[in-house]
Amino acid sequence: MRDAHGRRIDYVRLSVTDRCNLRCSYCMAEEMDFLPRRELLTFEEIETLARHLVRRGVTRIRLTGGEPLVRKGIIDLAERLGRLGDCGLDELTLTTNGTRLPELATGLYAAGVRRINVSLDTLDRERFAKLTRRDAFDQAMAGIDAAQEAGLAVRINALAMRGVNDHEITDLLAWCGTRGFDLALIEGMPLGEVAIDRRAEHLPLSEVREQLEQRFTLVPSLHRTAGPARYFDVAETGTRLGLITPLSDNFCAACNRIRITATGTVYGCLGHDQKVELRDILRTGGAAALDEALDLLLAGKPLRHDFDAGQNAPALARHMSVTGG
Ligand code: SAM
Ligand code: SF4
């Protein structure tokens, strides 16, 4: 699949639910209206769509949400998608808050998942509770342990937030080093109405990098994953640091992905409303109709997002948890 700007699209972020057992302040409001469950794609429909996308050249699928591991039967879905390895899928991964990994890590591994991203913005129990509005730090940490025991490679994802966790990022990188985890730092994006002051919390990662370089030697690395992180080898730990800079250093020119919501809406870009609806087509349309809709999406895929670090108001009403982060 190629878009009108010549970019090859081989990576899909697939949201399986917009629900979550946490309420991270930068992602959601305390009170959220979630989609009625009957509107979600069934596992059969997701499998059909994924198989179709793999036939069209998609090689990597990341399950996300909301919290993907709160969707009932998620291991069944992972097994179905894991089997697409036989017809061209190179990798099935997932992004999770980790809290359900104690029960699910082994099943994910058995389904063929080998790498996961776990979002953890702080190592401080109380700050975690304040940030996520839920007292689930111990569960998340137990989940990280369980993932490692199950044989899953873990990358920790953390938003860098001024005045929130900026003083902790050096310790977070050191902790990741002792555990053998790569760490990816992310700049917060203005998606959906939330209760924080986004402008005040914005922290360019160039600044964080300078702070980290006082303690660590960061060597630019050629390592790439399917996502937009630029990597550095951390000489002291043997692990990597990834920087994801949607605001301070736009990476859209190399965009390789589309995002599918739990109800089968496909967005060409996290920062725009350009979309096609696939649910009805999956129910009645057949393969040719799917292709037509996907081609329409690719033809209109925006060149880049227009997020602005100086903005407090959301660029879009849609929360990250709906599109799939
Ligand atoms: N619940 C899972 C989790 O937290 O990992 C998966 C979904 S979550 C929306 C995916 C990623 O998006 C997480 O790493 C989270 O920190 C990040 N995220 C959420 N809201 C964001 C925002 N407004 N800007 C940037 N990243 C955001
Ligand atoms: Fe839930 Fe993930 Fe959003 Fe946090 S970032 S509220 S864990 S979906």
Side-chain angles (χ1 to χ4, degrees), residues 59-313:
T59 56
R60 284 167 289 202
I61 296 180
R62 176 174 294 278
L63 300 179
T64 182
E67 173 48 44
L69 300 186
V70 303
R71 174 96 188 240
K72 209 167 150 211
I74 186 70
I75 299 296
D76 174 19
L77 179 66
E79 285 169 352
R80 288 165 184 258
L81 299 183
R83 286 195 281 275
L84 298 181
D86 295 342
C87 43
L89 185 70
D90 290 338
E91 189 172 47
L92 176 66
T93 54
L94 129 133
T95 301
T96 172
N97 63 33
T99 54
R100 296 219 58 223
L101 283 170
E103 305 91 82
L104 300 174
T106 313
L108 288 169
Y109 189 90
V113 176
R114 291 293 175 268
R115 289 190 314 126
I116 60 171
N117 292 348
V118 182
S119 305
L120 180 76
D121 303 312
T122 176
L123 292 169
D124 182 283
R125 205 172 184 285
E126 273 168 37
R127 191 165 302 114
F128 182 98
K130 197 165 164 223
L131 255 174
T132 65
R133 304 184 178 107
R134 298 290 183 273
D135 181 15
F137 180 73
D138 293 343
Q139 268 166 272
M141 294 304 270
I144 291 170
D145 292 345
Q148 214 170 16
E149 274 159 35
L152 295 165
V154 174
R155 185 184 87 181
I156 300 293
N157 280 359
L159 250 77
M161 296 166 274
R162 195 186 296 286
V164 179
N165 66 350
D166 41 355
H167 59 291
E168 244 199 284
I169 295 176
T170 307
D171 289 345
L172 195 57
L173 182 58
W175 176 79
C176 285
T178 61
R179 296 289 304 256
F181 302 150
D182 291 347
L183 170 67
L185 297 174
I186 307 170
E187 291 172 350
M189 290 176 269
L191 296 167
E193 231 15 283
V194 292
I196 60 168
D197 183 343
R198 284 193 166 113
R199 197 170 17 203
E201 288 190 10
H202 172 66
L203 178 59
L205 293 182
S206 49
E207 209 177 304
V208 179
R209 183 177 156 191
E210 277 171 28
Q211 180 192 324
L212 292 173
E213 281 178 329
Q214 297 188 5
R215 180 150 153 213
F216 297 101
T217 315
L218 303 179
V219 185
S221 157
L222 292 178
H223 177 74
R224 297 290 305 177
T225 53
R230 275 184 302 119
Y231 281 95
F232 297 83
D233 291 321
V234 185
E236 287 78 4
T237 61
T239 55
R240 292 188 197 97
L241 170 71
L243 301 183
I244 302 177
T245 54
L247 288 125
S248 66
D249 189 6
N250 184 289
F251 42 68
C252 299
C255 186
N256 58 354
R257 72 209 73 126
I258 53 176
R259 296 164 191 269
I260 306 179
T261 72
T263 53
T265 306
V266 193
Y267 287 101
C269 175
L270 188 59
H272 288 272
D273 256 331
Q274 189 254 351
K275 63 186 171 191
V276 294
E277 303 288 350
L278 296 188
R279 190 179 52 195
D280 288 350
I281 296 178
L282 279 164
R283 291 182 181 168
T284 56
L290 264 185
D291 275 334
E292 205 178 305
L294 287 167
D295 289 342
L296 191 65
L297 181 86
L298 293 171
K301 181 173 156 65
L303 183 58
R304 50 172 292 162
H305 67 71
D306 304 311
F307 300 147
D308 173 1
Q311 85 186 92
N312 218 352

